[in-house]
């Protein structure tokens, strides 16, 4: 029996029609795959590369997104005056540094005056290790390299420099308030990581045990290891507030109450007191730093701060930091 063929349809036409149909199917499949890939890439871009939310920190009238925090963390890791403690605290420390800098920029000029463009430029020359007689082109090249390495804009870097200059001026001004002499105490210290152990040690010392022997045997303070706990002369004003309160009014040979200092528990022995002891250069720096932190705590109360950082955003910032450090 003969096969029916539509009138006017040749074999070649049928084959061409089948090939077109196959091409359309292939194009359709490829199109679906391309769209799916684009969707995946867009998702990765918006969730992994772009900051996950516009603002994670607001200080006064200034907002910082996750990308800005990541850039600041990178700068502090590579070039910061004090750096960061490590990756586990990098994000929280960076947020605190940004907050402190904003407080300084807002409040310090009223105390120590404004910072000029020339002041910032001179500081940049020093930071970039550019010789004073260098050409403008050499300065611009060094600055561009620093900006590339830190991912900062020039305005961001200049704000960091301005805040640093203001901090230095504040510390100098605060040190000058003390003059040439100040009340000081000669101290020995036993430092422990456990509060119960610190209480036990204190009871032994109060009961007549030898402080120096216990310090050499039990203290985790590397600075005074093998020295009987001796940590030298300290201006009372340079001590942390908790230690200062515990030592205020103690006579020689008196033992302090337990003093909490971060993760440690300290027991102090006052060996000598001098109400007008000369301040050396290291003590001047310590006095200035302590007084500045007190000023910063007071002024922070006058600036509105809002932190809105999720665990995912913190992870994103840390991932960007690690990636940028490796690039």
């Amino acid at each position: 029996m003969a096969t029916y063929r539509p009138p006017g349809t040749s074999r070649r036409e049928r084959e061409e029609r089948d090939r077109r149909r196959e091409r359309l199917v292939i194009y359709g499949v490829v199109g679906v795959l391309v769209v799916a890939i684009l969707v995946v890439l867009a998702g990765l871009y918006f969730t992994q590369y772009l900051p996950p939310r516009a603002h994670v920190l607001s200080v006064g009238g200034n907002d910082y997104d996750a990308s800005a925090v990541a850039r600041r963390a990178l700068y502090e890791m590579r070039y910061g005056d004090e750096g960061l403690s490590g990756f586990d605290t990098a994000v929280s420390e960076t947020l605190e540094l940004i907050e402190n800098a904003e407080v300084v920029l807002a409040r310090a000029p009223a105390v120590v005056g404004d910072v000029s463009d020339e002041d910032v430029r001179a500081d940049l020359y020093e930071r970039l290790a550019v010789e004073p007689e260098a050409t403008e082109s050499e300065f611009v090249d060094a600055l561009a390299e620093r900006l590339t390495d830190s991912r900062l804009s020039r305005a961001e870097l200049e704000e960091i420099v301005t805040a640093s200059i203001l901090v230095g001026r504040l510390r100098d001004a605060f040190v000058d308030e003390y003059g040439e002499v100040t009340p000081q105490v000669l101290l020995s210290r036993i430092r422990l990581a456990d509060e119960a152990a610190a209480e036990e040690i204190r009871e032994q010392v109060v009961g007549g045990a030898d402080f120096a022997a216990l310090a050499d045997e039990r203290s985790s303070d590397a600075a005074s290891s093998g020295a009987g706990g001796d940590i030298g002369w300290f201006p009372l004003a340079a001590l942390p507030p908790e230690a200062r309160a515990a030592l205020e009014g103690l006579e020689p040979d008196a033992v302090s109450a337990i003093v909490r200092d971060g993760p440690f528990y300290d027991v102090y022995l006052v060996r000598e007191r001098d109400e007008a002891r000369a301040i050396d250069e290291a003590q001047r720096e310590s006095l200035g730093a302590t007084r500045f932190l007190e000023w910063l705590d007071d002024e922070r109360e006058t600036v509105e701060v809002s932190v809105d950082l999720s665990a995912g955003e913190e992870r994103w910032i840390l991932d960007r930091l690690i990636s940028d450090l490796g690039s």
Side-chain angles (χ1 to χ4, degrees):
M1 184 168 129
T3 303
Y4 172 76
R5 294 190 181 94
T9 303
S10 67
R11 179 180 177 182
R12 177 178 297 176
E13 290 172 335
R14 292 196 305 272
E15 290 175 349
E16 180 62 29
R17 184 176 58 199
D18 291 341
R19 284 195 291 271
R20 285 199 301 270
R21 185 181 296 114
E22 290 175 358
R23 286 197 295 271
L24 287 173
V25 171
I26 293 171
Y27 292 156
V29 172
V30 171
V32 170
L33 289 174
V34 168
V35 170
I37 291 172
L38 289 175
V39 169
V40 171
L41 291 176
L44 289 173
Y45 180 72
F46 283 105
T47 60
Q48 299 298 321
Y49 187 76
L50 286 181
R53 190 165 63 229
H55 300 136
V56 298
L57 173 67
S58 296
V59 187
N62 296 322
D63 297 321
Y64 291 83
D65 61 19
S67 180
V69 176
R71 292 196 302 274
R72 181 60 179 270
L74 176 65
Y75 174 84
E76 294 299 334
M77 277 286 196
R78 284 182 167 168
Y79 304 111
D81 293 336
E82 298 180 5
L84 300 175
S85 300
F87 289 117
D88 56 337
T89 58
V91 177
S92 60
E93 288 182 10
T94 301
L95 292 175
E96 184 177 4
L97 285 169
I98 293 173
E99 179 185 337
N100 291 346
E102 287 287 353
V103 173
V104 168
L105 290 169
R107 309 295 296 180
V111 181
V112 294
D114 293 321
V115 175
S116 68
D117 292 342
E118 290 74 16
D119 294 331
V120 172
R121 186 179 179 87
D123 192 284
L124 282 172
Y125 264 74
E126 185 175 345
R127 288 173 183 264
L128 301 174
V130 177
E131 296 296 332
E133 63 273 12
T135 65
E136 179 66 16
S137 177
E138 290 172 331
F139 169 72
V140 170
D141 288 345
L143 178 60
E145 182 178 354
R146 178 63 54 88
L147 295 176
T148 299
D149 288 345
S150 64
R151 312 290 196 270
L152 294 175
S153 68
R154 180 165 182 170
E156 288 173 324
L157 178 58
E158 288 181 346
E159 278 203 350
I160 292 172
V161 171
T162 300
S164 177
I165 293 172
L166 288 169
V167 170
R169 290 181 181 178
L170 283 169
R171 289 182 175 181
D172 290 343
F174 294 146
V175 167
D176 290 341
E177 295 177 0
Y178 292 100
E180 299 300 322
V181 299
T182 191
Q184 297 191 40
V185 285
L186 179 62
L187 298 173
S188 291
R189 179 176 64 192
I190 297 175
R191 167 162 283 183
L192 297 164
D194 181 74
E195 185 175 13
E199 290 286 0
E200 176 194 345
I201 289 291
R202 183 179 184 279
E203 289 178 4
Q204 291 181 37
V205 174
V206 171
D210 184 82
F211 190 99
L214 284 172
D216 288 340
E217 179 184 350
R218 300 286 301 276
S219 181
S220 59
D221 186 5
S224 60
S225 178
D230 177 21
I231 56 174
W233 284 96
F234 277 83
L236 282 170
L239 292 168
E242 295 82 0
R244 192 185 316 157
L247 296 169
E248 195 72 48
L250 291 185
E251 296 299 324
D253 298 325
V255 179
S256 74
I258 303 298
V259 177
R260 178 73 182 270
D261 188 358
F264 300 107
Y265 298 89
D266 298 330
V267 181
Y268 288 95
L269 171 68
V270 177
R271 293 161 53 200
E272 293 184 44
R273 296 186 70 97
D274 189 336
E275 298 305 313
R277 185 176 177 85
I279 305 171
D280 63 31
E281 191 58 34
Q283 290 172 339
R284 288 178 63 83
E285 293 182 7
S286 180
L287 283 165
T290 302
R291 179 69 181 85
F292 166 70
L293 292 177
E294 293 173 351
W295 176 89
L296 190 63
D297 286 340
D298 291 339
E299 295 299 326
R300 188 182 283 112
E301 300 299 323
T302 68
V303 179
E304 185 176 352
V305 178
S306 174
V307 179
D308 187 13
L309 179 72
S310 68
E313 288 160 343
E314 183 173 359
R315 181 72 251 175
W316 184 91
I317 294 170
L318 190 56
D319 287 344
R320 291 301 306 163
L321 173 61
I322 294 171
S323 174
D324 288 340
L325 284 171
S327 64

